[in-house]
Amino acid sequence: MQGCKASCPPPGRNQAREIPGQNSHSLAQGFQLLKEEREDQPAIMSAHLFEGKDHAAIYRKHRFPPPDELLSIIFSFLEEKKGKPYDLAVDVGCGSGQSTQVLGPHFARVLGTDISEAQIQQAQQAQNQANVSYRVCPAENLPVEDASVDLLTAFTAAHWFDLKAFMRELERVLKPGGCVSLSSYIPSIRIHYGDCSAELNAIFQETQTVLNKYANEKVSIVRSEYQEIFDLVPFPDKKRTLFHSKEVSFTVASLMGFMQSFSMFQTFHNAQPEAAKALLHQTQERFLKTMKVSSPETELGISFKYVCVLACKAPTKEKVAP
């Protein structure tokens, strides 16, 4: 699963940049990247929260790939609407690349994009497949040709974009019959551990309530289960799916790390670093006391609620012979 990724360009023109790394040129011959900027690009107004190197490192360590249930939903839709072969997938707001990598086995070429240079550097440090490459660019100005993308994905990222500008870009880059998947987990996770699950969930909710005071306004799009995103998708053939993932194993320490990767925690930490650290430490201690254990490496189960907006661009109508 991918967490929230920012997509806000630096001041000036919206130019894509490729960061040097072991995979930076793996698709150089495969992609026909745009050589000139389009002059008609609107101003980008998306959120810009995940740029720091320290945050990118936390993101890389504590975020995880999309669950199998979500991938099954996406690929079933793609197979139904378009069918193979699959050439190009673009994973927008890819962060440190966990979601981009899972697309590799299914496509001839995969491009992960993010506005954060630090996030892309983290992604390139992973053992990526030869057909996977990364670019630094805003979500609203992707470095791919018109009608060239089979599948565009954004895992826990789309709510950070300038949605109206992004939807115009989505319409531009998708092939006729191409598909899009915009998904996120909903911040209402379920924690499971013996007979104290209810107490642990209450503790987590108390901590979440504190962090919510530092939440960006765009988080409301997630809380409303991507209804706004669904409404803005420009293709009539679309649907919105909600589901709970299977339970996954976390240690208490890794759950605290996951919380550190939240944009709202980072905002809190930037404003009041000692208070943010104290909140995290207190939350961990309360978890351990409730679980009656001493090691933060003790495992517990967590399940997430997900939303996935799927859509298909209309195929090109065949010309009728005279």
Side-chain angles (χ1 to χ4, degrees), residues 80-97:
E80 174 191 351
K81 298 297 181 179
K82 185 183 181 300
K84 297 178 180 179
Y86 304 142
D87 179 25
L88 172 60
V90 178
D91 185 27
V92 185
C94 69
S96 46

Side-chain angles (χ1 to χ4, degrees), residues 42-234:
I44 306 304
M45 299 294 293
S46 48
H48 193 188
L49 297 171
F50 298 80
E51 297 260 326
K53 290 185 178 180
D54 290 343
H55 194 182
I58 290 170
Y59 207 92
R60 178 67 198 169
K61 182 177 180 180
H62 295 293
R63 293 296 178 116
F64 41 90
D68 290 341
E69 302 99 306
L70 177 55
L71 295 175
S72 177
I73 289 170
I74 294 169
F75 284 110
S76 294
F77 185 82
L78 182 63
E79 176 69 25
E80 174 191 351
K81 298 297 181 179
K82 185 183 181 300
K84 297 178 180 179
Y86 304 142
D87 179 25
L88 172 60
V90 178
D91 185 27
V92 185
C94 69
S96 46
Q98 290 93 324
S99 58
T100 314
Q101 293 176 47
V102 301
L103 299 175
H106 303 276
F107 294 86
R109 305 172 291 157
V110 178
L111 175 65
T113 74
D114 202 282
I115 195 60
S116 169
E117 186 170 318
Q119 293 278 10
I120 293 298
Q121 288 175 339
Q122 288 288 331
Q124 290 181 328
Q125 290 175 16
Q127 293 183 345
N128 289 292
Q129 300 140 75
N131 64 328
V132 175
S133 110
Y134 298 95
R135 300 278 291 191
V136 176
C137 69
E140 303 83 359
N141 191 7
L142 299 172
V144 296
E145 295 287 349
D146 295 357
S148 63
V149 177
D150 293 282
L151 175 68
L152 186 145
T153 60
F155 295 94
T156 319
H159 48 282
W160 299 114
F161 304 161
D162 176 347
L163 289 173
K164 291 183 179 179
F166 172 69
M167 294 303 172
R168 288 192 290 268
E169 186 70 344
L170 174 63
E171 195 162 16
R172 179 187 73 82
V173 303
L174 279 187
K175 292 179 179 178
C179 296
V180 58
S181 167
L182 308 173
S183 61
S184 179
Y185 70 89
I186 308 299
S188 57
I189 72 173
R190 297 174 179 174
I191 301 170
H192 312 274
Y193 186 83
D195 59 1
C196 60
S197 298
E199 293 175 77
L200 295 176
N201 279 286
I203 294 169
F204 184 86
Q205 285 303 316
E206 288 176 26
T207 300
Q208 186 75 46
T209 298
V210 176
L211 295 180
N212 284 342
K213 298 175 184 178
Y214 299 88
N216 185 279
E217 61 182 9
K218 285 181 173 284
V219 174
S220 64
I221 298 173
V222 182
R223 294 193 182 114
S224 64
E225 300 177 340
Y226 270 27
Q227 182 64 53
E228 179 180 348
I229 289 176
F230 176 80
D231 292 341
L232 287 172
V233 170

